[in-house]
Structure formats: C-alpha cells, structure tokens
Amino acid sequence: MKLSRFAALSSSLLLAAGAVLFGAGQASAAADFGYVALGDSYSSGVGAGNYDGASGNCKRTPRAYPALWAAAHAPQTFSFVACSGARTDDVLSGQLAPLNSGTDLVSITIGGNDAGFADVMTTCVLQSEATCVNRVNQAKAYVTSTLPGKLDQVYNAIDSRAPGAHVVVLGYPRFYKLNGTCTTGLTENERAAINGAADHLNAAIAKRAADHGFTFASVVGSFTGHEICSSGTAWLHSVNWLNIGESYHPTAAGQSGGYLPVFANAA
C-alpha cells in the first residue's frame, strides 16, 4: 500500500513551520499537490444535483465527494474527470490524460457499469423475481470471470502514468435495508440478491486494488442505516420515473456523509 502523499505533504508542512518557528530558516515544503478524480457516476455525483453544465452528460457536480474534498483541502491542481455511465474502457480512453509523474492522489469508482448495473436494476424493477435473480447472477458471473482483467488494465494504466500517486479505490454501497420499512416495490429476495451482488462486486474490486498496492475504501459501513428501506434518512435514491438516471445513486447527503468521510480517511 502506497503511503498517502497528502499525509506526507501535511507532515512536511508541519516540519517547515517548525523550522521557521525555531529559527532554522525558510524551510520549503512541496506545495504543488495534485489530485485527479476518475471514475463513473458515483464519483461524478449523479443523484446529488447542481450539475456543472460544462460537464455535459458526465453530470459532474460540486456536491460530489471529489469536489468536496478538493474544496476543503485546496490542492494545487484538481482534475475532475469522472463521468456518468463510465466503464473501464471509458476510463482508459478518455480519463487518464491528467495523470502524470506529479500526480499525488487519485480517486476512482469503476466496475459497476461494466457489470451491467443499470440493466440489473431495470430488470428487477420491471420483471419477475425469478428474472431479476437470474440477471443478478449473470452480473455476478461477469464480475468473477471478466471484470478483474478489466480492472487490471485500468489500474496498470494509472500506475504507469502516475507511479508516485496514492490511489484510493472506492466501492459501492448496499442499496437496501433488508426487512426494513418498504412495503411495496421489490421483494425481499430481490433486495437480498442485489445487496449480495454489491458485496460480490466490492470484494472483486478490493482484491484487484490490493494486488496493485492501491487502497480500497468501503462505503458499506458509512451507508448503513441510510439505505433504501431504512428507518433513517435514505442516502440513495430509489427508482425515480421522472429522473430515471438518478435512480439508485447517492443523494447529496450520500456524497457528503457516505463517500466523503471514507475518502478523506483513506486519502
């Protein structure tokens, strides 16, 4: 696991301040800290609203955890290129340009769209329980057989372009509180299957991240008590027929309360 260069920078700033305080001269700390935020809609902030019109269909928002972290820590450079709908191939073809030898910190969520996240949820909402569970199992089979190689390509590319960066790979939340407050919608078997698929996806991503020396940061714990069907405030949108693209994505509170503290801890 690579040492957080943000932590290293903070330490150097403290040392510099101490040197000046005790008369050791103008100690200089590295100030050009660079952060690049890659990934899919869970990093661009779909569901949180207030989208930057200049980001087009990528739907990036200042309410997303990368932008919130950058606003709080003021890195010298911040490249926010995460994009709604992105798959691993999209990261490889369109998001890696900001990475270089001076990049200190990288964040990424990726893999859910490769596994067919949107189609799984559409199938489960519109079709039978048996069809839903079968589609979930197909997605899990893809995660087992194909996704690890796709993640390796992305992680290798990041490491090649930004060899000194501290890379934080964030996972996905479980969508549902089982045996919770929902009285309509999906069956408990469907909700349990979807949660199980999220766990399966997270385990695969965590394994590939660890094998590349990257930090995997799980958000399952931070979203516990805030899932759909929980008695607390849900930090995830349920199906929204008026804005289908935001369905099953974190709200603004999910970005600030679910993703941001987990990323800040890992960065």
Side-chain angles (χ1 to χ4, degrees):
M1 185 182 299
K2 294 179 180 177
L3 174 66
S4 167
R5 290 180 67 179
F6 180 73
L9 174 63
S10 298
S11 297
S12 67
L13 289 171
L14 287 173
L15 287 172
V20 171
L21 180 63
F22 291 106
Q26 291 266 328
S28 164
D32 56 343
F33 189 88
Y35 169 36
V36 178
L38 310 172
D40 56 22
S41 54
Y42 278 69
S43 289
S44 72
V46 170
N50 195 30
Y51 306 115
D52 177 3
S55 69
N57 290 333
C58 287
K59 292 190 174 179
R60 289 185 285 269
T61 170
R63 296 174 180 171
Y65 77 85
L68 293 172
W69 189 92
H73 294 89
Q76 182 83 4
T77 60
F78 172 46
S79 297
F80 189 14
V81 293
C83 188
S84 175
R87 301 186 179 198
T88 50
D89 288 346
D90 297 311
V91 173
L92 290 169
S93 64
Q95 294 189 17
L96 300 181
L99 297 174
N100 56 55
S101 59
T103 302
D104 300 283
L105 177 64
V106 176
S107 64
I108 185 170
T109 56
I110 202 68
N113 291 318
D114 291 76
F117 154 75
D119 186 60
V120 167
M121 298 313 300
T122 300
T123 299
C124 289
V125 168
L126 297 178
Q127 300 192 40
S128 69
E129 178 181 291
T131 303
C132 167
V133 172
N134 181 61
R135 181 65 185 89
V136 169
N137 287 335
Q138 289 176 7
K140 289 172 68 176
Y142 177 91
V143 169
T144 298
S145 65
T146 307
L147 185 61
K150 304 286 256 179
L151 293 173
D152 281 340
Q153 292 177 19
V154 171
Y155 298 163
N156 283 333
I158 292 171
D159 199 37
S160 175
R161 288 174 174 264
H166 176 60
V167 181
V168 180
V169 179
L170 295 101
Y172 299 91
R174 292 180 185 140
F175 288 167
Y176 294 103
K177 169 69 176 175
L178 299 182
N179 301 307
T181 60
C182 294
T183 57
T184 60
L186 303 185
T187 68
E188 281 299 290
N189 285 340
E190 289 172 320
R191 291 173 185 139
I194 291 166
N195 280 2
D199 290 343
H200 188 69
L201 175 60
N202 284 330
I205 294 171
K207 176 65 165 59
R208 301 318 307 141
D211 286 351
H212 286 264
F214 297 166
T215 297
F216 177 77
S218 173
V219 297
V220 170
S222 63
F223 275 86
T224 297
H226 297 284
E227 309 97 328
I228 300 167
C229 303
S230 63
S231 57
T233 302
W235 286 353
L236 291 156
H237 293 280
S238 187
V239 63
N240 181 353
W241 297 111
L242 298 178
N243 192 340
I244 200 69
E246 292 195 340
S247 301
Y248 304 107
H249 282 84
T251 63
Q255 287 287 337
S256 63
Y259 269 93
L260 178 60
V262 170
F263 175 58
N265 234 15

